[in-house]
């Protein structure tokens, strides 16, 4: 490769050259794979990722972006594009569409994506609505723990929770291990009331699911729901029409049966709140990790950009992400659907 040949070349001493003849500074280092041998093998088997063709595949996607979406304001770095290739098993066309959707959904929901930074979400983070458990599951998946009962609607709108989830996903997907292994969601619905559930209506459900399924380069391997009340039947009735069959089949409802949960997530990786032996649930470490990434998020989400039309051209957001899509999301309509579960 060129990097190897460059390292073998000899060059005159800088001291022997005039200032105008000094060589240019070295180019930024290219992509360096951080995957273990086991994860390289897993990526080959599950994602059709071939290390010997990896950079060729990245260049192919980069060329497609430049040719088909010349006005798309996006990073073209190897590591960034690899996220989309891995999420779509190195299918170039599907990876390109995911990249377009990724940017489209961010511009179609300004309430969520404007000024998206950890310091703007301190209240949501401090509430304990979400965290990432310190231990991965046996497959190496990070576990995103959601606790809707910790959210008090009078304190801040539900979109703040969605912003916190998105920041968390962005932080997680920076890791190549997560790109290969995916994540698991553990949702604890203990204490979720009808009035609280009614905030998550069809309009928001459709947008959130549209992002997770078609607008973000992450693999959701399982969703474990615990302590769900009877009202959850109504919540799931709102969600299910927007779920693809593959994702719907990855939902597991455990109720209060922690033994059922432990058959999927072993006790040694769970906090004692869920019958585990890994100590008490602690939100401080993950909150600190997000807040320490403030500058990265400011660069990514808080810079002025060109208008949406000039960026995306004829590209349309994935189904459900259009901010103008009509949807009956009145409180009455949502509550009537939730009441039907009783």
């Amino acid at each position: 490769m060129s990097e190897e040949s460059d390292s073998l070349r000899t060059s005159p001493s800088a001291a022997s050259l005039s200032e105008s003849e000094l060589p240019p500074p070295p180019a930024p280092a290219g992509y360096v794979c951080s995957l273990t041998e086991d994860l390289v093998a897993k990526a080959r088997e599950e994602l059709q990722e071939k290390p010997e063709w990896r950079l060729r595949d990245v260049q192919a996607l980069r060329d497609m972006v430049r040719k088909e979406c010349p006005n798309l304001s996006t990073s073209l770095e190897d590591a960034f594009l690899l996220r989309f290739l891995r999420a779509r098993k190195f299918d170039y066309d599907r990876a390109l569409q995911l990249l377009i959707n990724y940017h489209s959904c961010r511009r179609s929901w300004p309430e969520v994506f404007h000024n998206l930074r950890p310091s703007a979400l301190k209240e949501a983070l401090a509430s304990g609505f979400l965290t990432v458990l310190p231990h991965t599951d046996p497959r190496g998946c990070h576990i995103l723990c959601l606790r809707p009962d910790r959210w008090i609607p009078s304190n801040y709108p539900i979109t703040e929770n969605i912003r916190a989830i998105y920041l968390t996903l962005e932080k997680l997907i920076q890791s190549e291990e997560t790109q290969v292994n995916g994540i698991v969601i553990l949702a604890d619905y203990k204490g979720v009331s009808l009035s609280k559930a009614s905030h998550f209506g069809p309009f928001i459900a459709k947008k959130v699911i549209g992002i997770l399924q078609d607008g973000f380069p992450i693999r959701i391997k399982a969703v474990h729901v615990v302590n769900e009340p009877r009202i959850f039947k109504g919540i799931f009735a709102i969600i299910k029409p927007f779920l693809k069959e593959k994702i719907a089949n990855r939902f597991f409802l455990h109720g209060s049966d922690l033994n059922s949960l432990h058959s999927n997530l072993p006790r040694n990786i769970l906090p004692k709140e869920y019958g585990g032996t890994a100590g008490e649930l602690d939100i401080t470490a993950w909150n600190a990790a997000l807040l320490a990434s403030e500058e990265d998020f400011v660069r990514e989400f808080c810079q002025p950009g060109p208008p949406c039309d000039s960026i995306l051209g004829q590209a349309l957001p994935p189904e459900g992400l259009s901010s103008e899509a009509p949807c009956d999301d009145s409180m009455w309509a949502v509550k009537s659907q939730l009441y039907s579960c009783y």
Side-chain angles (χ1 to χ4, degrees):
M1 300 292 289
S2 60
E3 290 182 0
E4 295 177 350
S5 60
D6 287 344
S7 66
L8 295 175
R9 293 177 190 152
T10 59
S11 58
S13 167
S16 67
L17 299 175
S18 67
E19 185 174 346
S20 62
E21 295 173 320
L22 286 175
Y31 167 77
V32 177
C33 182
S34 64
L35 298 175
T36 64
E37 290 185 7
D38 288 344
L39 284 176
V40 168
K42 182 176 182 178
R44 182 188 291 271
E45 178 181 354
E46 296 186 8
L47 308 181
Q48 288 73 59
E49 177 176 344
K50 299 177 175 61
E52 62 274 20
W53 292 354
R54 185 188 289 128
L55 293 183
R56 181 209 66 175
D57 294 334
V58 169
Q59 186 59 48
L61 179 57
R62 184 183 294 116
D63 291 342
M64 291 177 69
V65 173
R66 287 170 172 163
K67 179 180 178 181
E68 300 183 28
C69 307
N71 295 321
L72 184 65
S73 180
T74 185
S75 170
L76 294 176
E77 293 181 0
D78 294 348
F80 181 77
L81 294 179
L82 261 176
R83 301 176 187 180
F84 297 87
L85 286 165
R86 285 170 172 154
R88 291 299 180 261
K89 299 186 176 181
F90 282 76
D91 182 314
Y92 298 165
D93 292 326
R94 294 176 65 228
L96 176 61
Q97 187 60 57
L98 178 61
L99 178 63
I100 293 171
N101 292 350
Y102 172 81
H103 288 286
S104 177
C105 71
R106 285 167 53 173
R107 289 167 176 84
S108 69
W109 204 358
E111 298 91 340
V112 168
F113 293 100
H114 175 68
N115 192 36
L116 186 57
R117 61 172 92 188
S119 63
L121 294 169
K122 287 184 177 180
E123 187 172 12
L125 295 176
S127 73
F129 168 79
L130 92 168
T131 193
V132 174
L133 301 187
H135 304 290
T136 59
D137 80 351
R139 297 177 295 180
C141 303
H142 279 290
I143 302 170
L144 171 59
C145 181
L146 303 176
R147 297 185 293 169
D149 70 302
R150 308 286 295 194
W151 170 53
I152 301 175
S154 60
N155 287 353
Y156 58 84
I158 192 172
T159 49
E160 294 296 280
N161 291 330
I162 297 168
R163 283 156 60 82
I165 292 172
Y166 196 91
L167 278 187
T168 292
L169 295 179
E170 284 283 358
K171 182 66 177 176
L172 287 173
I173 204 60
Q174 292 175 1
S175 164
E176 289 197 278
E177 292 184 11
T178 300
Q179 294 169 28
V180 174
N181 290 328
I183 66 167
V184 165
I185 297 174
L186 171 60
D188 181 359
Y189 276 84
K190 181 180 180 179
V192 174
S193 63
L194 173 65
S195 61
K196 185 174 291 188
S198 64
H199 288 267
F200 193 69
F203 178 70
I204 288 179
K206 194 173 184 180
K207 276 181 168 285
V208 171
I209 293 170
I211 291 172
L212 294 177
Q213 291 188 144
D214 300 310
F216 197 87
I218 202 161
R219 307 173 69 207
I220 299 176
K221 304 301 291 182
V223 179
H224 295 284
V225 181
V226 296
N227 297 321
E228 68 274 17
R230 292 172 59 191
I231 195 67
F232 187 80
K233 294 179 181 179
I235 298 174
F236 198 67
I238 293 172
I239 295 173
K240 193 170 182 179
F242 310 124
L243 292 173
K244 295 179 179 178
E245 182 179 4
K246 182 178 181 180
I247 296 294
N249 291 338
R250 293 178 178 176
F251 270 74
F252 302 94
L253 309 184
H254 301 284
S256 58
D257 183 1
L258 293 182
N259 289 327
S260 172
L261 175 66
H262 298 158
S263 66
N264 293 273
L265 300 177
R267 297 176 67 235
N268 66 315
I269 68 171
L270 291 173
K272 71 174 189 178
E273 288 84 349
Y274 302 111
T277 59
E280 294 185 356
L281 184 63
D282 178 24
I283 66 172
T284 58
W286 183 252
N287 287 355
L290 284 180
L291 290 168
S293 303
E294 175 84 5
E295 292 185 6
D296 294 338
F297 286 116
V298 168
R299 283 193 297 269
E300 179 68 18
F301 293 100
C302 303
Q303 303 300 323
C308 179
D309 290 345
S310 67
I311 295 172
L312 300 172
Q314 299 301 313
L316 295 175
E319 183 179 357
L321 291 177
S322 171
S323 60
E324 298 180 358
C327 183
D328 182 6
D329 198 31
S330 67
M331 192 69 72
W332 179 87
V334 176
K335 285 189 174 182
S336 66
Q337 190 165 4
L338 293 173
Y339 274 125
S340 66
C341 75
Y342 283 96

